Amino acid sequence: MIGDTEREEPEWRLTFQDAESFRNLVEAAASVMPKVVFNVAKEGDDRFLLVDGSDMALTCWLRARLAVDHFAFPKGEAGRDAFSFCVECKHVLIAIDTPSLGSCCIVLEGFEGKAKVRIHVTDPDQGVSFSEKADLDTYVDGERPQHRLQPLAYKMMLEVDVVRLRDLVRKARRAHAEFIRFAITLRDDGPQALSRVIMSYHGDISAWVCFVNRTQTSDDGSIIVRAVSDSMEEGGGEQPPLPSSNFFVGSYALDKIEAFLKVVKCRVITSHVQQEQPMLFQVPLGPDNESYVHFLIAPKIDNNDL
């Protein structure tokens, strides 16, 4: 029945002032799994909405967290520091699909006795004169195993131009390719430490894009290479020779990269690469470092890569 929980107090209430960050988190989860288990955990005085799960084939994983702006236990369960609920991603996306609203706010309420989550979408500019609500069914947590990765060590950071990668993925799809291949070569024995990054695909045709840039070193000692269109020197000129051997090579499923790129809003994304390990993409959610999406894609096992 519509609104059958309207007069009941929920067990818990979460408020997100930035609807876009919440939507990006759900869209990222939907690119990996049809149902998502949201964990709500307390860290110090703050609470976060957490996601840590994989697809059924264990080819990609999602780790994400989003700061909760306001939190309440209307029934007075203040000592409860953590809980979880499971919903279908597509149901959440339908409920928050409000393009006519500008800067909207999203409130989630849990009615555990009825196995329901209610989503409120409100527009602060319209005050109490408008609100949109939807009731979603919840599912038993652990309906399928939640495979979590152990912490991984990476020695190279790759910054990628999102527009160039989207163009490559779009063409790869038209060429019926299945994988995007990343190859990185380094040269550090000359006056400048340089890198060459080649992103390519092979389908009906074979094609690639190439970036040559100076390398940097991060505070933790990782090598930073860039697949972006930086200018090497003012006025251009010929690029110096680079070694033919590959420092890193990995091929990753086109459909997984394509799905994740749909939720990326920034121009440059940061990834971490290491031979025979998942490629880790990092995308911030909001202006601070507290909220983020980490997307990991398993590599294709190919003995010809090295």
Side-chain angles (χ1 to χ4, degrees):
M1 178 183 292
I2 294 176
D4 63 352
T5 56
E6 188 71 38
R7 297 181 181 179
E8 294 184 31
E9 284 282 12
E11 277 78 18
W12 50 263
R13 181 181 292 120
L14 311 174
T15 302
F16 301 94
Q17 300 290 354
D18 181 6
E20 183 177 1
S21 293
F22 178 77
R23 184 181 298 110
N24 289 343
L25 171 58
V26 179
E27 288 178 341
S31 71
V32 176
M33 60 197 94
K35 294 178 182 176
V36 58
V37 176
F38 286 115
N39 295 286
V40 181
K42 186 176 182 181
E43 297 183 12
D45 294 330
D46 300 320
R47 291 187 186 265
F48 292 88
L49 188 67
L50 309 174
V51 177
D52 191 349
S54 67
D55 65 349
M56 292 296 291
L58 300 182
T59 60
C60 60
W61 297 261
L62 182 77
R63 292 173 177 164
R65 62 183 241 159
L66 180 63
V68 178
D69 294 307
H70 300 289
F71 180 85
F73 282 119
K75 293 185 177 180
E77 301 179 50
R80 191 177 173 192
D81 288 339
F83 61 91
S84 63
F85 58 97
C86 178
V87 291
E88 287 203 43
C89 295
K90 66 179 181 181
H91 292 167
V92 181
L93 292 174
I94 292 171
I96 64 176
D97 183 14
T98 54
S100 61
L101 295 181
S103 166
C104 59
C105 171
I106 291 178
V107 179
L108 305 183
E109 292 182 337
F111 298 88
E112 296 172 350
K114 294 183 177 292
K116 297 283 186 183
V117 167
R118 170 164 292 171
I119 298 182
H120 302 244
V121 180
T122 63
D123 187 344
D125 295 333
Q126 298 182 20
V128 297
S129 65
F130 169 84
S131 70
E132 182 176 341
K133 301 178 182 179
D135 283 349
L136 280 59
D137 292 330
T138 61
Y139 301 87
V140 177
D141 296 0
E143 181 178 295
R144 64 184 180 89
Q146 295 295 303
H147 300 280
R148 294 177 172 86
L149 285 179
Q150 297 300 316
L152 300 172
Y154 293 91
K155 296 181 180 179
M156 178 172 287
M157 184 185 302
L158 172 62
E159 297 178 350
V160 182
D161 187 319
V162 174
V163 173
R164 301 289 186 184
L165 181 55
R166 279 200 179 110
D167 286 345
L168 188 76
V169 166
R170 176 175 52 83
K171 294 178 180 180
R173 174 64 64 195
R174 293 176 61 190
H176 303 104
E178 296 182 358
F179 296 91
I180 297 293
R181 184 176 186 266
F182 295 81
I184 300 173
T185 57
L186 300 176
R187 177 188 177 221
D188 58 6
D189 57 350
Q192 297 177 347
L194 300 175
S195 67
R196 177 174 59 196
V197 181
I198 296 177
M199 302 187 300
S200 61
Y201 63 85
H202 176 72
D204 297 340
I205 67 170
S206 297
W208 59 94
V209 293
C210 178
F211 304 87
V212 177
N213 287 298
R214 298 183 183 92
T215 63
Q216 297 177 334
T217 303
S218 67
D219 293 338
D220 63 2
S222 300
I223 301 171
I224 303 174
V225 300
R226 292 169 58 79
V228 296
S229 303
D230 287 345
S231 175
M232 287 293 302
E233 293 284 352
E234 300 232 358
E238 289 188 13
Q239 303 296 347
L242 288 167
S244 58
S245 61
N246 291 318
F247 183 87
F248 167 82
V249 177
S251 297
Y252 302 88
L254 172 65
D255 60 339
K256 302 302 181 184
I257 295 176
E258 185 177 40
F260 178 65
L261 285 177
K262 291 178 181 178
V263 306
V264 176
K265 311 301 180 185
C266 49
R267 174 60 192 257
V268 176
I269 55 175
T270 300
S271 65
H272 295 263
V273 294
Q274 185 75 19
Q275 206 65 47
E276 299 182 351
Q277 288 190 178
M279 190 174 193
L280 167 61
F281 290 97
Q282 295 179 312
V283 178
L285 292 175
D288 52 43
N289 295 324
E290 294 291 316
S291 303
Y292 55 77
V293 171
H294 289 179
F295 190 78
L296 298 97
I297 309 176
K300 173 190 175 186
I301 304 302
D302 189 345
N303 294 330
N304 294 324
D305 271 346
L306 289 177

